Amino acid sequence: MSELLQLSDEVREALDAGLPVVALETTLVAHGFPAPDGVEVGLASEAAVRDAGATPATVGVLDGRIRVGLSADELERFTPDARKLGPRDLAACAVQGAVGATTVGGTLAVARAAGIRFLATGGIGGVHRGAPEDVSADVPALAATPTVVVSSGIKSLLDVPATTELLETLGVPVLGFRVDTLPLFYAAEGGPPVPQRVESPDEAARVARAHWELGGAGLLLASPPPESLDAVELIEEALVEAKRQGVSGQAVTPFVLGRIHERSGGRTRAVNRALIVANARLAGEVAVAYGAL
Ligand code: PSU
Ligand code: MN
């Protein structure tokens, strides 16, 4: 394992000392934004984790190793031609020496191997609209990994009600951060009610600790975007376009995000960036609070 998994010195020292560490993914660096914006979003997320007093551990596959903690130069290598890696794709990518950007699911698999308990993203994957057989590996990975995932809910281009039902089935707690309804990625309002609400990073950390004491695994901490945008029509248009062009599977999310970023004149991109950075900060705060329990 030590050959395959390579932790940066900073991440290794933080983990060894029991200091707070937050895992960050690289799919949104490579595929979530038009290049080269993703790298800037990745760096801003790392800075937000540091601001909160935690150590960022950005995950990706480079040169045959699964890397945890990347330099700015290394982050630049996550270009749109990088592979998109769910949990099942990690091994082949490493063995084949390709550049691989990890999704939330892929990052969770690595976080578990490295012993990291906090992760931040924009919105998690889930059940695709009109394609109930296409369920993001983010969901089972969350159900299997003792980690707090901070996101602005489920990406609203998906079937949000079906995904929340699935999270319940799988025993994944969904905590609304100072909200009673699930944020809808770009939009703060309009989602289904959350089963539980928490008021502070400390409360979220205490719920996570109790859940883990009971043998539970992943928790979703859902935080509304700092600026809210109603993108319902744009999303519907982009989904129709994806279907018309025969886009399916792993390609749907990047296609739809790209399309709506373009169509909104960059407004969805700005909101997406802001919520990702805010979630990174909150994940850092929860990690710090957990360390202080
Ligand atoms: N959040 C964003 N932008 C993204 C993603 C999340 O704001 O691009 C990525 C994450 O890597 C997530 C992935 O794991 O989208 C889900 O893709 P899919 O639905 O194809 O599993
Ligand atoms: Mn999928």
Side-chain angles (χ1 to χ4, degrees):
M1 184 47 103
S2 58
E3 274 289 282
L4 180 60
L5 193 67
Q6 186 182 341
L7 276 59
S8 69
D9 290 343
E10 187 193 17
V11 170
R12 180 181 302 284
E13 282 160 21
L15 287 171
D16 285 350
L19 295 172
V21 175
V22 175
L24 299 169
E25 51 151 318
T26 35
T27 288
L28 54 85
V29 174
H31 308 296
F33 291 86
D37 292 6
V39 174
E40 190 277 326
V41 175
L43 291 171
S45 301
E46 291 185 351
V49 170
R50 286 186 203 286
D51 268 3
T55 299
T58 303
V59 171
V61 176
L62 289 175
D63 310 317
R65 315 285 295 274
I66 297 173
R67 305 283 303 275
V68 183
L70 298 168
S71 68
D73 283 348
E74 287 164 345
L75 207 57
E76 302 265 0
R77 295 178 60 190
F78 293 87
T79 50
D81 55 344
R83 289 189 195 177
K84 178 175 169 181
L85 307 183
R88 71 166 182 182
D89 308 307
L90 289 161
C93 184
V95 168
Q96 293 170 352
V99 176
T102 52
T103 63
V104 170
T107 306
L108 282 169
V110 176
R112 180 169 45 186
I116 298 172
R117 291 196 172 246
F118 303 90
L119 182 149
T121 186
I124 66 160
V127 182
H128 280 260
R129 278 194 220 172
E133 73 286 359
D134 183 358
V135 180
S136 171
D138 290 359
V139 174
L142 182 56
T145 314
T147 311
V148 176
V149 173
V150 181
S151 82
S152 296
I154 297 148
K155 275 187 301 211
S156 49
L157 52 118
L158 304 169
D159 185 336
V160 173
T163 308
T164 53
E165 289 298 330
L166 181 56
L167 289 169
E168 181 181 6
T169 302
L170 294 170
V172 176
V174 176
L175 310 175
F177 188 72
R178 299 178 181 149
V179 285
D180 294 315
T181 57
L182 191 71
L184 288 177
F185 194 42
Y186 300 122
E189 306 285 335
V194 288
Q196 285 93 26
R197 167 184 172 131
V198 293
E199 301 300 335
S200 66
D202 172 70
E203 192 180 6
R206 284 185 290 119
V207 172
R209 185 176 66 172
H211 187 60
W212 296 333
E213 269 174 29
L214 291 167
L219 303 89
L220 187 65
L221 179 60
S223 182
E227 341 154 30
S228 179
L229 182 73
D230 180 356
V232 170
E233 276 172 35
L234 283 168
I235 289 170
E236 266 155 25
E237 243 175 68
L239 285 169
V240 169
E241 188 58 26
K243 198 167 184 189
R244 214 171 54 81
Q245 292 191 25
V247 179
S248 66
Q250 277 197 330
V252 174
T253 298
F255 176 91
V256 171
L257 291 179
R259 191 96 191 163
I260 60 185
H261 288 339
E262 215 176 276
R263 284 291 168 86
S264 68
R267 279 187 309 138
T268 54
R269 188 169 64 209
V271 173
N272 200 359
R273 179 195 183 280
L275 66 86
I276 288 168
V277 174
N279 292 341
R281 183 180 311 272
L282 178 56
E285 289 168 1
V286 177
V288 167
Y290 182 78
L293 292 180

